[in-house]
Amino acid sequence: SQTIHQWPATLVQPVGSPLSLECTVEGTSNPNLYWYRQAAGRGLQLLFYSVGIGQISSEVPQNLSASRPQDRQFILSSKKLLLSDSGFYLCAWMGGTSGGPGANVLTFGAGSRLTVL
Amino acid sequence: AQSVSQHNHHVILSEAASLELGCNYSYGGTVNLFWYVQYPGQHLQLLLKYFSGDPLVKGIKGFEAEFIKSKFSFNLRKPSVQWSDTAEYFCAVRNAGNMLTFGGGTRLMVKP
């Protein structure tokens, strides 16, 4: 079966410090990977998605970046955090359209809560 | 750009009351539709989905949703809610690409 792991679960960082949130998926290959930010009352905002290694699309210009160094690894980063980066970050994966595991459905990780002070 | 609207931000019901949460989307083409639920302290999980066929779809825990194409709607229903249904509910739409657009969410509180 497929599983998705996110870490750290919670993080408190000072303004101006770097950030690295990591997400890995097990039990599938070549998944589509996504980073969302969840804000109270505003639903889920898509930040980045990736269809393959090294392929990153950004949906919202911001202080964050994403990388996919391996097929099942997706990293969210920042060089210098801002107060406005505080939030709940969700990684998700989707299988392909061929009907295999996770096809056409987003499966989410447990999330990482970031507080920037 | 595609948008998804959930009209009710907060809903408070007593146990055994009926539930209907509204969801409307803007995309006019072929869509896949989803409802996700986030129980307190838990991660987002799929409640039900519609891809094609019967527009009335049934999900887990007694939930169902009806796709009405002419109204661009995919409302979530449950005949009799329980305290354990207290959660935040998100509607989502996927068009021809591989991205889901989510609504703002509806927080449901069920009073015992």
Side-chain angles (χ1 to χ4, degrees):
Chain A
S1 64
Q2 301 78 39
T3 55
I4 177 169
H5 303 280
Q6 263 188 262
W7 69 93
T10 58
L11 193 61
V12 180
Q13 292 285 100
V15 169
S17 64
L19 171 73
S20 181
L21 300 179
E22 193 161 338
C23 172
T24 58
V25 180
E26 297 177 357
T28 187
S29 59
N30 197 32
N32 295 325
L33 296 172
Y34 307 79
W35 279 110
Y36 282 87
R37 178 163 53 200
Q38 184 177 5
R42 289 193 285 171
L44 281 76
Q45 179 187 34
L46 179 62
L47 303 176
F48 300 95
Y49 73 96
S50 171
V51 299
I53 295 174
Q55 300 178 63
I56 309 294
S57 296
S58 173
E59 290 299 300
V60 181
Q62 61 214 319
N63 187 42
L64 302 170
S65 63
S67 62
R68 184 169 177 174
Q70 300 181 47
D71 181 45
R72 288 168 287 176
Q73 184 184 28
F74 204 25
I75 298 171
L76 184 69
S77 304
S78 173
K79 292 183 179 178
K80 289 186 177 181
L81 284 168
L82 305 172
L83 286 174
S84 57
D85 293 323
S86 292
F88 191 54
Y89 292 85
L90 291 164
C91 181
W93 75 276
M94 181 189 296
T97 56
S98 61
N104 301 311
V105 174
L106 267 183
T107 301
F108 288 88
S112 298
R113 185 163 301 281
L114 170 66
T115 303
V116 182
L117 301 175
Chain B
Q2 183 168 252
S3 65
V4 180
S5 298
Q6 291 182 240
H7 317 296
N8 311 101
H9 298 297
H10 292 91
V11 174
I12 302 175
L13 295 172
S14 297
E15 275 194 315
S18 64
L19 170 72
E20 181 160 2
L21 301 182
C23 173
N24 286 91
Y25 60 94
S26 63
Y27 186 69
T30 301
V31 293
N32 299 151
L33 299 158
F34 307 82
W35 276 97
Y36 282 82
V37 60
Q38 188 171 33
Y39 296 103
Q42 297 188 28
H43 63 275
L44 271 164
Q45 55 187 285
L46 182 68
L47 196 57
L48 49 77
K49 62 184 186 290
Y50 171 80
F51 286 174
S52 63
D54 189 345
L56 183 63
V57 293
K58 297 191 182 297
I60 60 172
K61 303 186 180 184
F63 285 91
E64 64 179 30
E66 185 175 13
F67 170 49
I68 302 179
K69 188 175 182 179
S70 61
K71 295 185 178 180
F72 297 89
S73 70
F74 190 55
N75 292 355
L76 181 70
R77 300 195 293 249
K78 186 170 183 178
S80 176
V81 294
Q82 301 172 310
W83 176 78
S84 58
D85 294 324
T86 294
E88 188 161 16
Y89 294 82
F90 295 91
C91 180
V93 176
R94 176 186 173 210
N95 58 13
N98 282 322
M99 290 179 287
L100 268 66
T101 301
F102 284 82
T106 298
R107 286 186 183 272
L108 170 66
M109 178 183 293
V110 180
K111 298 184 293 184

